[in-house]
Amino acid sequence: MRLFGIADDAKLIEYREESFKNDNQEELLERWLENNPDCVLEGEDLVIIGRQVTTNLGSVIDLLGVDRQGDAVVIELKRDKTTRDTLAQLLEYASFVENLSYGDLQDI
């Protein structure tokens, strides 16, 4: 799919396609999402409070945010198809953030 932006002179500018499977591209996307949290949840405010957050089991959450209601939002980037391991990882992260207090979130 071709994507375009609109320049100041009202002309369309085609965005070039990037492969996020190249080395360090996942880190680039992570950094972009951290700096543009308004693109994560449609119509919702989100504040990213942590990057590469270590859980109580030693695994690492790519990005951790808090929405307007104070609920934790886990953002985990994957390059390929979702597997059972990925689903298990997300359940582990959900269990971790469910038990975080506001003080824990502030410390992060």
Side-chain angles (χ1 to χ4, degrees), residues 26-37 40 46-54 60-66 72-77 90 93 96-97 108:
E26 188 170 315
E27 181 181 341
L28 174 69
L29 181 58
E30 185 179 294
R31 192 169 45 242
W32 183 81
L33 289 171
E34 179 181 25
N35 292 318
N36 297 279
V40 176
L46 178 68
V47 175
I48 303 297
I49 61 168
R51 184 171 173 196
Q52 297 296 306
V53 176
T54 304
V60 179
I61 298 172
D62 289 337
L63 294 168
L64 182 61
V66 176
V73 176
V74 172
I75 301 168
E76 182 64 23
L77 304 174
L90 290 174
Y93 293 167
F96 170 73
V97 298
I108 292 171

Side-chain angles (χ1 to χ4, degrees), residues 1-7 11-17:
M1 174 202 291
R2 295 169 62 193
L3 296 176
F4 295 87
I6 301 174
K11 292 185 179 182
L12 293 177
I13 302 170
E14 185 172 6
Y15 293 107
R16 69 185 166 113
E17 188 174 334

Side-chain angles (χ1 to χ4, degrees), residues 41 44-49 64-74 102 105:
L41 297 175
E44 293 285 331
D45 292 328
L46 178 68
V47 175
I48 303 297
I49 61 168
L64 182 61
V66 176
D67 68 10
R68 184 184 313 197
Q69 291 76 33
D71 295 325
V73 176
V74 172
Y102 288 116
L105 293 172

Side-chain angles (χ1 to χ4, degrees), residues 75-86:
I75 301 168
E76 182 64 23
L77 304 174
K78 295 294 178 204
R79 294 181 181 192
D80 295 315
K81 294 180 182 179
T82 303
T83 64
R84 288 180 183 233
D85 290 338
T86 301

Side-chain angles (χ1 to χ4, degrees), residues 18-26 78-81:
E18 292 282 338
S19 172
F20 284 99
K21 290 189 176 192
N22 295 337
D23 291 343
N24 301 318
Q25 293 298 317
E26 188 170 315
K78 295 294 178 204
R79 294 181 181 192
D80 295 315
K81 294 180 182 179

